[in-house]
């Protein structure tokens, strides 16, 4: 797989410092996915870079971007207000490409994206979560999902069955309660980073391909 070129972009945020982004736009792209990073690593994390490349191979553009705290090298995530404003700005930047827009991201980034959409619709066709962080490890709860009831667009949850941030006995009822707007796809034995034990016989490229194929098939179903 050839590494696709990523074009640097600058994202302006209302009342906040601008942040940087990376746009990968394959020829004849049929949609764009606004891909937010997790709490502990920025937009250049290898997982996100590999995932963006796999989506490009499948005809989907991506816009990765930094949250302000990551842009300045801080370890403390932004407040939901600032993070959600950043999500909105990134979606607005993606909409300039005149493609169907989807949004979401890894862990914290996905949760901040759903918070932004829940507060006010952003004009996206759907939200896709790469490991929704339902609760901190060892502290099972579902309050982090309360706002999802305010999201009216379709949602895709890509989740490992061994995700320490989302016990399945809690996540499954949450998704079921959301009704037909929500889809849960499980990666057997995957943890929060979608790593699987060697005894499964599965390698990282196979798991990553499953994630990408599932997301793209879901997108194509919504694009119609």
């Amino acid at each position: 797989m050839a590494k696709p070129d990523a074009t640097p972009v600058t994202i302006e945020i209302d009342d906040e410092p601008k942040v940087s982004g990376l746009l990968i736009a394959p020829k004849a792209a049929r949609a764009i996915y606004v891909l937010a990073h997790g709490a502990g690593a920025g937009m250049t994390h290898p997982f996100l870079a590999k995932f963006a490349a796999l989506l490009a191979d499948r005809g989907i553009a991506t816009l990765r971007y930094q949250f302000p705290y990551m842009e300045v090298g801080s370890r403390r995530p932004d407040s939901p207000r600032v993070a959600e404003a950043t999500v909105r700005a990134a979606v607005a930047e993606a909409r300039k490409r005149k493609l169907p827009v989807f949004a979401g991201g890894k862990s914290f980034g996905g949760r901040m994206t759903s918070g932004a959409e829940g507060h006010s619709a952003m004009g996206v066709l759907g939200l896709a979560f790469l490991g929704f962080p339902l609760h901190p490890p060892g502290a099972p709860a579902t309050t982090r999902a309360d706002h999802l009831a305010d999201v009216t667009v379709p949602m895709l949850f890509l989740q490992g069955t061994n995700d320490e941030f989302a016990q399945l006995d809690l996540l499954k009822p949450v998704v079921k309660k959301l009704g037909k707007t929500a889809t849960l796809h499980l990666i057997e034995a995957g943890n929060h980073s979608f790593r699987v034990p060697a005894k499964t016989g599965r390698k990282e490229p196979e798991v990553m391909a499953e994630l990408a194929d599932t997301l793209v098939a879901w997108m194509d179903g919504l694009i119609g």
Side-chain angles (χ1 to χ4, degrees):
M1 179 180 64
K3 185 177 179 181
D5 293 331
T7 302
V9 298
T10 299
I11 299 171
E12 303 280 350
I13 309 170
D14 291 342
D15 302 321
E16 298 293 336
K18 65 184 69 172
V19 297
S20 56
L22 290 171
L23 174 70
I24 296 179
K27 292 181 179 179
R30 58 189 184 278
I32 184 168
Y33 179 44
V34 183
L35 177 54
H37 63 73
M43 65 180 179
T44 61
H45 188 275
F47 175 89
L48 298 184
K50 291 175 184 177
F51 196 63
L54 288 171
L55 293 180
D57 284 347
R58 291 156 173 77
I60 304 297
T62 55
L63 176 60
R64 287 174 281 156
Y65 61 97
Q66 301 280 65
F67 286 107
Y69 78 97
M70 190 64 67
E71 188 81 345
V72 298
S74 173
R75 291 189 174 186
R76 183 176 181 179
D78 300 307
S79 68
R81 180 191 66 79
V82 172
E84 290 177 16
T86 308
V87 171
R88 292 184 175 284
V91 169
E93 180 66 28
R95 287 172 63 86
K96 296 177 183 178
R97 274 68 198 178
K98 307 299 182 183
L99 291 167
V101 179
F102 295 84
K106 186 75 187 77
S107 195
F108 169 83
R111 184 163 67 94
M112 293 300 102
T113 300
S114 58
E117 178 68 19
H119 283 127
S120 182
M122 298 185 289
V124 299
L125 289 186
L127 304 181
F129 309 112
L130 298 167
F132 187 86
L134 187 61
H135 55 75
T142 61
T143 53
R144 284 184 175 181
D146 289 348
H147 70 280
L148 296 176
D150 298 322
V151 175
T152 59
V153 297
M155 290 173 277
L156 174 65
F157 295 78
L158 296 166
Q159 213 83 26
T161 60
N162 291 339
D163 190 337
E164 60 274 28
F165 285 78
Q167 289 185 189
L168 280 186
D169 61 339
L170 297 179
L171 181 63
K172 285 183 175 179
V174 165
V175 174
K176 184 177 180 179
K177 188 175 180 180
L178 292 170
K180 293 181 179 180
T181 62
T183 301
L184 174 62
H185 181 87
L186 298 175
I187 300 296
E188 187 62 36
N191 67 6
H192 193 57
S193 298
F194 297 106
R195 296 191 183 95
V196 298
K199 65 182 180 181
T200 66
R202 303 189 77 194
K203 303 294 186 181
E204 181 194 40
E206 182 182 350
V207 174
M208 294 291 288
E210 180 180 345
L211 290 169
D213 288 340
T214 303
L215 175 57
V216 171
W218 176 78
M219 287 178 169
D220 285 339
L222 293 174
I223 295 169

